[in-house]
């Protein structure tokens, strides 16, 4: 079992360095409009709201809200399927394609700077260690504490 001083050190340093801040920004891209843009960009042709919901692992109601915002921003267009009027297909507009291109270029620019500063070897090591830490956390994940049953 790890020494308590080591545990406290790791907890303190992880809290101070906030590696989750970067991860949260990456996750934001996978949770909202950015995620829908990415899915549509990778799709061959049109895709349905249900398909998007499945890929994002969210409800169709959540996707409908995102799509409404995206139509208002002229990022996507909706069209009724010619064979089945119940199916609404979604596709990128020219503005949507330009937006996803700008996002991709911004990500490339930022990650290129990180690689230039740290070097690819450190980045690989960070990713490998992150994968190992995640694997261990998943394997030993205890149930969440029940704060109501804890001693006062």
């Amino acid at each position: 079992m790890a020494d308590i001083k080591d545990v406290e050190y790791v907890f303190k340093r992880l809290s101070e360095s906030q590696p989750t801040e970067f991860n949260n920004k990456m996750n934001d891209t996978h949770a909202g409009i950015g995620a829908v843009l990415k899915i549509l960009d990778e799709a061959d042709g049109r895709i349905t709201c249900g398909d998007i919901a499945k890929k994002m692992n969210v409800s169709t109601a959540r996707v409908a809200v995102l799509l409404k915002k995206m139509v208002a921003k002229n990022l996507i267009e909706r069209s009724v399927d010619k064979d089945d009027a119940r199916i609404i297909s979604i596709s990128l507009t020219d503005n949507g394609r330009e937006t996803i291109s700008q996002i991709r270029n911004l990500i490339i620019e930022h990650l290129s700077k990180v690689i230039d500063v740290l070097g690819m070897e450190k980045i690989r090591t960070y990713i490998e260690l992150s994968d190992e830490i995640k694997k261990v956390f998943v394997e030993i994940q205890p149930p969440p504490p029940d704060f109501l049953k804890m001693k006062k």
Side-chain angles (χ1 to χ4, degrees):
M1 182 91 161
D3 184 270
I4 189 66
K5 289 183 182 193
D6 291 340
V7 172
E8 289 171 350
Y9 170 81
V10 169
F11 184 80
K12 182 178 186 241
R13 291 298 294 134
L14 285 175
S15 296
E16 290 171 352
S17 67
Q18 288 295 313
T20 54
E21 193 173 311
F22 169 74
N23 293 333
N24 288 342
K25 288 183 188 228
M26 293 291 283
N27 288 338
D28 288 346
T29 304
H30 296 289
I33 290 175
V36 176
L37 287 171
K38 184 175 184 283
I39 290 166
L40 290 169
D41 186 51
E42 293 173 350
D44 288 332
R46 297 175 173 276
I47 191 167
T48 67
C49 179
D51 295 333
I52 294 169
K54 285 178 191 169
K55 288 182 183 284
M56 291 177 62
N57 198 27
V58 297
S59 70
T60 53
R62 169 80 174 127
V63 172
V65 170
L66 287 171
L67 296 179
K68 185 176 181 180
K69 290 177 184 178
M70 293 174 75
V71 166
K73 295 178 185 230
N74 190 34
L75 297 170
I76 62 166
E77 57 188 9
R78 301 176 189 209
S79 60
V80 177
D81 188 278
K82 60 184 174 190
D83 297 326
D84 188 343
R86 297 172 296 171
I87 299 174
I88 306 295
S89 296
I90 313 298
S91 61
L92 290 170
T93 61
D94 288 340
N95 185 45
R97 280 187 282 283
E98 176 61 28
T99 300
I100 193 72
S101 177
Q102 289 173 359
I103 291 169
R104 186 180 302 108
N105 290 339
L106 189 62
I107 291 169
I108 290 169
E109 179 183 336
H110 282 107
L111 288 178
S112 291
K113 287 178 183 176
V114 171
I115 293 167
D116 289 346
V117 170
L118 297 176
M120 200 56 207
E121 191 56 39
K122 283 185 178 179
I123 298 295
R124 281 191 185 98
T125 301
Y126 171 77
I127 291 170
E128 289 168 7
L129 288 172
S130 295
D131 287 344
E132 288 182 45
I133 291 170
K134 179 182 174 184
K135 181 180 176 188
V136 171
F137 266 103
V138 168
E139 288 174 0
I140 65 165
Q141 186 174 11
D146 186 348
F147 293 110
L148 299 176
K149 291 184 180 179
M150 295 180 104
K151 294 180 183 179
K152 294 182 184 181

